[in-house]
Amino acid sequence: MKLVFAGTPEVAVPALDALIASGRHEVAAVVTRPDAPAGRGRRLVASPVAERAEEAGIEVLKPLKPRDPEFLERLTEIGPDCCPVVAYGALLPRAALDIPAHGWVNLHFSLLPAWRGAAPVQHSIMAGDEITGASTFLIEEGLDSGPVYGTVTEVIRPTDTSGDLLTRLAFAGAGLLAATMDGIEDGTLKALPQPAEGITVAPKITVEDAQIDWAAPALRVDRVVRGCTPAPGAWTTFRGERLKLIQVTPVPERTDLAPGRMAVGKNSVHVGTGSYAVELLWVQAQGKKPMRAADWARGVRIAENETLGG
């Protein structure tokens, strides 16, 4: 088939690579978000998908919005049979959805109908799921509600951050998306409607969502830290300033600390929660680089009975 691939961030690159390498289909063009300011100089930088496509000599389309007439005209001229999508980041209008004969097929990082929305991996970790995966489905105008072509599953490991899990799903999902294109092309794959039961939604995680509630159980604190790492980053406050929490670990044997109360040992920093304590392993103070929590504690000279989170 002739394909036009749509995607933007680094997590979409493995799928683009898989489609280029398959040799079975032609990636005629790539659709991605416009260049965005990045770094201290705020200079415009192309998306990871745009950079990879340019390396491969593939035409790159960067519409401000997918409903732009110039974009729709160029897409019609290319005449794709199918448009595979991974984390493109913009809403596709009906005028665009109708152009390819086999529609737009999205790789979504959950086992649909669970975790429809922008942040499925973060929500699956924060909810304490043991299994997640990726799904390919035909895009409709609803939110991730279209019929599903295929899935792959992935175990969520006890120490997984959303970054860890998303990296594994990006590569497993790349193979799934390539196989889905093959099945659509040879007619062996049929999309099946999603079940009406088990629907959960995964909106974008806000900075407010990432604030630690020390009255919550230790497992919840651990899941929020892992789910919000690397972005937007879990945080609390210390002496009125924000402190980023990069890694913690539950300490079930320690139950003597009130929520938020800190206890500093020679090489450890324990904090009370609504159940038992957690140990802070890596933190990042405002304006500082990430550091081991024990080193941070020595540097700020924590007093007895000091707390996190006000």
Side-chain angles (χ1 to χ4, degrees):
M1 295 191 295
K2 182 188 285 188
L3 307 177
V4 170
F5 178 86
T8 298
E10 189 67 41
V11 72
V13 173
L16 175 58
D17 282 339
L19 293 171
I20 293 171
S22 76
R24 182 164 172 174
H25 311 289
E26 175 199 354
V27 181
V30 156
V31 185
T32 190
R33 301 290 285 153
D35 297 357
R40 288 188 176 181
R42 308 305 290 164
R43 65 185 183 88
L44 290 179
V45 175
S47 74
V49 163
E51 290 182 349
R52 179 67 188 94
E54 286 162 2
E55 288 172 8
I58 297 170
E59 179 182 356
V60 180
L61 307 174
K62 302 177 182 180
L64 200 58
K65 294 182 179 178
R67 65 170 179 266
D68 291 350
E70 297 84 359
F71 166 69
L72 295 174
E73 183 180 343
R74 180 59 189 141
L75 191 63
T76 301
E77 288 172 357
I78 295 169
D81 299 300
C82 190
C83 294
V85 185
V86 186
Y88 169 44
L91 197 63
L92 296 162
R94 172 52 59 188
L97 295 177
D98 288 342
I99 290 173
H102 294 287
W104 296 65
V105 176
N106 191 46
L107 172 64
H108 183 76
F109 297 116
S110 80
L111 298 174
L112 292 169
W115 304 126
R116 295 175 177 175
V121 174
Q122 292 95 323
H123 280 277
S124 63
I125 290 176
M126 291 167 70
D129 293 350
E130 295 180 352
I131 301 287
T132 187
S135 308
T136 48
F137 71 95
L138 183 65
I139 292 180
E140 299 177 337
E141 289 184 279
L143 176 66
D144 300 334
S145 60
V148 173
Y149 282 105
T151 60
V152 291
T153 58
E154 182 72 33
V155 173
I156 299 178
R157 300 168 187 169
T159 59
D160 269 341
T161 66
S162 61
D164 298 332
L165 184 55
L166 192 55
T167 297
R168 296 204 304 276
L169 288 173
F171 285 94
L176 172 65
L177 186 61
T180 299
M181 293 298 105
D182 294 348
I184 290 172
E185 191 255 344
D186 62 25
T188 58
L189 202 55
K190 183 180 180 182
L192 300 176
Q194 294 183 30
E197 302 80 30
I199 297 171
T200 49
V201 293
K204 183 179 179 180
I205 302 292
T206 66
V207 172
E208 289 75 22
D209 294 331
Q211 183 176 8
I212 295 299
D213 175 10
W214 294 108
L219 287 178
R220 173 65 182 170
V221 171
D222 174 55
R223 289 167 184 167
V224 171
V225 172
R226 292 189 293 115
C228 292
T229 300
W235 62 280
T236 187
T237 54
F238 175 69
R239 296 176 184 168
E241 291 192 340
R242 191 171 292 191
L243 179 70
K244 186 176 180 180
L245 304 179
I246 299 171
Q247 187 181 13
V248 306
T249 188
V251 187
E253 62 273 17
R254 180 144 202 188
T255 59
D256 62 318
L257 294 173
R261 181 65 53 82
M262 288 185 285
V264 180
K266 185 177 180 181
N267 291 299
S268 66
V269 182
H270 290 169
V271 185
T273 74
S275 56
Y276 43 80
V278 298
E279 181 179 354
L280 305 187
L281 299 178
W282 284 86
V283 300
Q284 184 175 5
Q286 278 189 304
K288 304 288 186 179
K289 293 182 178 180
M291 65 178 69
R292 292 191 179 277
D295 296 335
W296 165 78
R298 277 190 290 272
V300 297
R301 298 185 179 181
I302 293 170
E304 190 176 352
N305 295 333
E306 277 201 274
T307 62
L308 292 178

